[in-house]
């Protein structure tokens, strides 16, 4: 049976992105060998949304209070790349990783599975 998920970021600056995940976001890591870091994530959920566009996958980190989280991230020099918008299922924005990639951030407005 499925017991978890493994998410991959393909980065042009993996060392800086790894430092960001560890030092800014506070994710614990283990070295899987040869410097390949694997980060533990908080509880995760998976949803499907309809689209008329090409099917794709997106990753959003979740928080309880998007305004407070944005403030904490900006205090650490993190660039917020999108204005917060209400997507119905949550308040959404994005932050910039050191490599230049964007990572979604949202405050859910729906019940959480398992609660």
């Amino acid at each position: 049976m499925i017991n978890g998920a493994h998410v991959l970021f393909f980065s042009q600056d993996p060392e800086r992105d790894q430092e960001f995940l560890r030092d800014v976001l506070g994710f614990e890591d283990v070295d899987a060998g040869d410097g390949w870091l694997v980060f533990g994530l908080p509880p995760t959920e998976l949803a499907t949304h309809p689209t008329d566009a090409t099917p794709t996958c997106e990753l959003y980190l979740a928080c309880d209070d998007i305004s407070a989280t944005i403030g904490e991230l900006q205090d650490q020099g993190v660039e917020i790349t999108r204005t917060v918008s209400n997507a119905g299922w949550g308040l959404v924005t994005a932050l910039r990783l050191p490599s230049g990639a964007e990572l979604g951030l949202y405050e859910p407005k729906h019940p959480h599975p398992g609660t």
Side-chain angles (χ1 to χ4, degrees):
M1 192 53 125
I2 303 296
N3 66 2
H6 186 82
V7 179
L8 297 174
F9 278 130
F10 292 91
S11 174
Q12 293 182 344
D13 196 346
E15 292 82 13
R16 287 185 59 215
D17 284 349
Q18 289 171 347
E19 289 172 4
F20 178 87
L21 295 171
R22 181 187 60 234
D23 300 339
V24 175
L25 298 184
F27 294 158
E28 292 184 29
D29 65 88
V30 296
D31 188 328
D34 297 324
W36 290 93
L37 300 184
V38 176
F39 293 88
L41 293 176
T44 308
E45 59 193 30
L46 174 68
T48 59
H49 292 246
T51 184
D52 292 327
T54 302
T56 187
C57 293
E58 295 182 10
L59 174 65
Y60 289 83
L61 299 178
C63 62
D64 292 326
D65 182 332
I66 201 160
S67 295
T69 301
I70 287 171
E72 292 168 6
L73 291 169
Q74 288 176 325
D75 286 348
Q76 296 184 70
V78 177
E79 177 188 359
I80 302 301
T81 58
R82 294 187 218 156
T83 303
V84 175
S85 63
N86 187 337
W89 44 269
L91 301 175
V92 298
T93 188
L95 56 94
R96 178 134 1 253
L97 295 174
S99 64
E102 280 191 351
L103 181 58
L105 174 67
Y106 93 116
E107 177 184 333
K109 295 295 184 187
H110 57 76
H112 297 281
T115 58

